[in-house]
Amino acid sequence: MKRWAPYPFVRIVLSFIAGILVYLHTGKAFRYSPELFAFFVALYLVLYLIARKAKTVEANTLAGIAGLLCFAAGGMWVTHLHTDSHRPQHLSNLSSQPAYYSGVVDDYVVQKPGYQSTVLQVEQVQINGHWQAAEGKVQLSVPHDSQREYELGYGDRLLIKGTPLPVAPPANPNQFDYRAFLANKQIHYRHFLQAHQYQKIESDPSNPVLYFSIYLRRQLDALLKESINERREYGISSALILGVKDELDNSIRDAYAQTGTMHVLAVSGLHVGLIYGILAFLLAGFKKTTRQRVIYAAVILGVLWLYAFITGLSPSVLRAAFMFSLITLAMVSRRQHNIYNTLAIAAFALLWYNPYFLLEVGFQLSFLALLGIVYLQPRFYRLLEFDNRVLDKGWALFTAALAAQLATFPLGLYYFHQFPVYFWLANLLVVPAATLVLYSGVAALFFSWVPLLSTMLFQVHFSITWAMNEFNLRVNQLPQAVINGIDISASQTWLLYTLLLLFVLFFAYKQLRYFALATVIVAVLVTQEIMEIATQQNQRSLVVYSMRNATAFSFLQGQQATVVSNQPLAPQIYTFNIQPYLWHKGVSQADTYTLANAPTTGISHVVLPDSNSLLVWQGKRLLLVSKPLKVQPLPDFEVDYLLLTQNVRIKPEELQPFRFKQLILDASNAPWYLQRLKPQLAEAGIPFYDVTEKGALVVEL
């Protein structure tokens, strides 16, 4: 207990987080959080009075435990209050589908190729000709084909014709769950609008501060775009300074991700810390009197929170701004502060504001990286000493990157399935370069009204950004720059963090029991890996994927796979739709072919006289029908899977001569085609599997 004594807020925030997790993992069905919270508060008060009277260690311990249970119950209650779908007027609880609905744009407008995306807070719906109050968030996508830079803006009140649809689950196995991602933001519906489907009624921003933040952010972004001619450098500059990633080039984004430096592009604690550092340096001598200290705090807090507003108030920026604000206030009041308590207070405040921040990858990585830097970096740094100042600073940067990477290593494997081998080299130069990019960019924006000075500053800013990009691309081209295809489960992630914690405890307290427990964890992980590999050696599966306007399927045996498609698949489409499943099955790299050059080994491919294709693999026959049927099968000929593709003109009676085990409609067929064909198949008594409706067909053999 004594070891916990200096960290009261750490105990509180861990209890609060436990309550949030319990609520989320009970399926959000527990509706008695207020009563549970009231019970534990009453219990704590009783035990506190008993402890005051008894004055024993046991009584104080019980009262302390009851107090922590109060915060756990409070975490459950706060999470329940922030779960919109429980409210009676939520879109998911309406009696019928609305014909019209209205609401206010309640988020930033994100630029995408050909369209723009934002979030609408619904206020009213029209059902059966009558308007009624409603609530809920809808992700809107509107076409962007006009000369205006933004079709919509924060605070625009819209009238929309049609019904928003629930967000669809992942269409393919192990694919990124976008539905869960949006649900954590309380967005459960989407609507892809045409230009004639919506009308702007008025502009009525509900939050003037956020409205001004977005306006200022747009103005500064426009200034960057005007001053930086190269699209690649402008995209990096806008992402690094303002947090706007609309114009970020995919190739350069991948390069930063694969070198372990993606954190410099996500405005986070690093950026806030750099702003705080330069302000603290410039105002170092302005803390002698009480009045000076008040001015010192006011300037730092004002600039930090202005930067937070400009960059969109993301969880990582909020955490960092709040934490540095606490440090500043403690410094001004001449009080000592404990960094772990400060970090815990920041986490508690953010999770009280929105407990669903806990599920955001950026929030998790941000706190873990900072914990690693706070605890591990000083210990790594003391391992070597350098008299040379440049070498000493380089060693400090290297140890900081190592500490952050070590603290986020298991979570990085779990979410991104890759490990950047040269993260230490990339961070050694990219972090200082990003610091100069941030300082030069902010200075260029601040002095943009001074003609010659602003031109010079923007040129310096561009040159540093260009050099940083080129360096990252060169590092990414080094041999074995990134190890891809690592797939670990949530339980293995927890085991890796347990292993890391045990090693930290072993080196901190030099007790052999921690090393023994770490050995047990390693044995468990090795056993799991051996069992997984043994299972993968004997696996066989056929998957027909669900990809809009494309036909694609894979044959998997052991840890080898072949992917066949009707057309070459773009790298991003393959990575998003197919690769996660193959990595999960232990396939690091699959062979990819099109029907025009289908493989001849392992898979038998025959082009029929009517230009349709028959593929045979492991005794399974797959008939792809993309052209009208003009051949008749032999009496004893049977196929396992008959796949209708590309809006093929066919009538159900034409399928009667064929004997097949399953009819599949893939996602290369248009919605209008499926809407017409499926009733005909049902009337003819032909069962079918529609991958656009049910997701990819996975057949484990």
Side-chain angles (χ1 to χ4, degrees), residues 100-103 131 157-161 197-201:
Y100 293 86
Y101 63 99
S102 65
W131 285 94
R157 193 176 301 276
L158 305 179
L159 173 64
I160 299 174
K161 180 181 180 181
Q197 279 187 275
Y198 71 95
Q199 181 178 347
K200 178 180 174 180
I201 303 172

Side-chain angles (χ1 to χ4, degrees), residues 88-111:
Q89 294 181 334
H90 192 264
L91 290 172
S92 59
N93 299 320
L94 295 177
S95 58
S96 302
Q97 291 186 341
Y100 293 86
Y101 63 99
S102 65
V104 177
V105 175
D106 196 40
D107 203 353
Y108 305 99
V109 178
V110 180
Q111 182 76 266

Side-chain angles (χ1 to χ4, degrees), residues 457-477:
L457 288 172
F458 272 119
Q459 185 59 47
V460 171
H461 174 71
F462 170 81
S463 300
I464 301 172
T465 307
W466 179 87
M468 182 176 70
N469 289 339
E470 289 297 313
F471 173 76
N472 239 336
L473 290 172
R474 296 294 183 273
V475 171
N476 194 40
Q477 292 170 358

